[in-house]
């Protein structure tokens, strides 16, 4: 069962079992919805407020790029 932990505008952080996920709009000029897994530390950072959420998103983007994933491509249907 999903448990909503945090919501800010078009970003929502969920807990599913013992895993954490963020669903957000990664687009610049159009809506590009993504859902990516977060670590517990990333969740703890994000829920501190808007500026901390932005820091978490930048770190997530860098992590995805390093893994060879385009962070600006939708991964939700």
């Amino acid at each position: 069962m999903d448990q909503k932990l945090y919501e800010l505008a078009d970003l929502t952080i969920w807990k599913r079992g013992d895993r954490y996920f963020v669903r957000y709009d990664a687009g610049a000029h159009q809506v590009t919805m993504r859902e990516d897994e977060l670590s517990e530390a990333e969740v703890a950072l994000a829920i501190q407020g808007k500026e901390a959420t932005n820091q978490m998103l930048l770190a997530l983007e860098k992590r995805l790029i390093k893994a060879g994933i385009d962070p600006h491509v939708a991964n939700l249907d």
Side-chain angles (χ1 to χ4, degrees), residues 58-69:
L58 288 172
L60 174 60
E61 182 178 288
K62 289 178 184 179
R63 178 166 53 89
L64 291 172
I65 290 169
K66 188 175 181 179
I69 299 167

Side-chain angles (χ1 to χ4, degrees), residues 11 22 24 38 42 45-46 50-66 71-72:
L11 176 143
V22 61
Y24 60 103
L38 296 177
E42 289 169 324
L45 173 63
K50 185 177 180 178
E51 191 60 38
T53 300
N54 288 336
Q55 291 175 7
M56 180 276 297
L57 286 172
L58 288 172
L60 174 60
E61 182 178 288
K62 289 178 184 179
R63 178 166 53 89
L64 291 172
I65 290 169
K66 188 175 181 179
H72 304 290

